Amino acid sequence: MRYLELNGEALPDDASRLIPLTYGHFTAMQVRGGAVAGWPLHLARLAASSREMFGAAVPDEQVHALAARALAASGLADASMRIMMVPPAGGLSADAVPPDVVVVVADPVDEAPGPALRVCSQVYERELPHVKHLATMGLTRAHRLAVAAGFDDALFVDRDGLVLEGSIYNVAFWDGEAVVWPQAPMLTGIMMQLVQGALTSLGVPQRTTPIRLADVSSFRAAFFTNSQCARQPIASLDDVVFPGDDRLWSLLASMTFASTRL
């Protein structure tokens, strides 16, 4: 099912076709038992991106109330939720005007990791990489091209081979002792931040450093994080096959995240 609200007003489930989605930003999450992991991080993302793209942000308490209202109206306790900030009814302005808020509630997805994925590198650099914006055509095309080439997904690198991020995920590597995150222009995902905090709590060493394609073969394992899964294994990148490491998978499986009820 799909349930949509615009500024707290219910919309037909196909109304997203009518909403101007060429400019704006969003955050996505899984809701479990009416609660969201990392909710304060989602609010901070929405506020910062709104100030950058619209010059003004919707107050956190209003966003919370709109999300809670839409979830309650959907009748779902477990759900997939997307909160989008789109141009207000009067259109974009040079003045600082808060955006309109679209909340989309849909059926939940399984958060358990699937079989290890085969990914391929593609040269692609997102505009405003630190913002989770609505300009997603390039990401969708990259995924399609990867699948057409026999892979499961794409991992982006810049023109110099610097590892950036995936089509809809952040990537991390394991050198046998520490989790290594790419240092590059990219989106700092909410799940990435939650995983980093959980690993710190578990005492797992981590570092952030520039990683190039030529460096990838030195790692024992790789995984990705996104709003749907915190620990999806990656089997290979291009022709580099990762041996894997049971210790890493055990550590990732033991992670826990604090949640906030909507």
Side-chain angles (χ1 to χ4, degrees):
M1 66 88 66
R2 228 164 74 110
Y3 177 77
L4 291 84
E5 287 192 356
L6 171 63
N7 296 330
E9 297 292 330
L11 295 172
D13 63 6
D14 63 349
S16 60
R17 296 174 181 269
L18 308 177
I19 298 170
L21 298 179
T22 57
Y23 190 90
H25 63 92
F26 69 101
T27 195
M29 65 209 74
Q30 291 297 305
V31 183
R32 294 295 181 265
V36 176
W39 179 244
L41 298 175
H42 286 286
L43 290 176
R45 163 189 278 173
L46 291 172
S49 297
S50 287
R51 285 191 292 268
E52 180 165 351
M53 297 189 72
F54 297 98
V58 179
D60 287 353
E61 59 271 19
Q62 184 177 343
V63 175
H64 191 134
L66 290 171
R69 173 192 161 82
L71 181 67
S74 75
L76 297 175
D78 294 347
S80 300
M81 179 178 285
R82 177 176 291 206
I83 302 173
M84 298 184 289
M85 299 296 178
V86 300
L92 284 174
S93 169
D95 298 326
V97 179
D100 281 351
V101 183
V102 177
V103 182
V104 183
V105 184
D107 291 323
V109 299
D110 187 356
E111 296 175 291
L117 302 181
R118 297 173 59 249
V119 303
C120 64
S121 61
Q122 291 188 28
V123 177
Y124 184 80
E125 300 173 53
R126 290 194 308 117
E127 187 174 7
L128 293 177
H130 59 288
V131 175
K132 193 175 181 72
H133 51 69
L134 293 173
T136 58
M137 184 189 76
L139 312 185
T140 304
R141 181 173 182 272
H143 174 77
R144 178 183 176 279
L145 291 176
V147 172
F151 294 90
D152 297 304
D153 215 326
L155 178 65
F156 300 143
V157 298
D158 71 8
R159 300 168 193 178
D160 298 319
L162 184 69
V163 173
L164 305 175
E165 57 192 343
S167 61
I168 54 169
Y169 60 86
N170 290 109
V171 67
F173 299 92
W174 173 253
D175 66 5
E177 296 295 333
V179 172
V180 186
W181 301 91
Q183 181 181 340
M186 64 181 187
L187 180 71
T188 302
I190 303 299
M191 186 59 72
M192 173 183 171
Q193 296 176 65
L194 291 174
V195 168
Q196 289 174 331
L199 292 178
T200 296
S201 297
L202 292 171
V204 179
Q206 301 175 76
R207 67 179 187 273
T208 301
T209 188
I211 300 171
R212 288 180 165 75
L213 280 178
D215 306 323
V216 168
S217 61
S218 66
F219 294 108
R220 291 193 52 78
F223 66 97
F224 78 59
T225 71
N226 65 11
S227 64
Q228 297 182 6
C229 184
R231 49 189 175 91
Q232 171 59 50
I234 295 175
S236 61
L237 171 57
D238 294 334
D239 59 354
V240 175
V241 178
F242 300 107
D245 192 311
D246 289 342
R247 178 170 170 248
L248 171 65
W249 309 135
S250 178
L251 287 168
L252 294 176
S254 68
M255 297 186 300
T256 58
F257 312 120
S259 297
T260 301
R261 189 164 185 82
L262 294 178

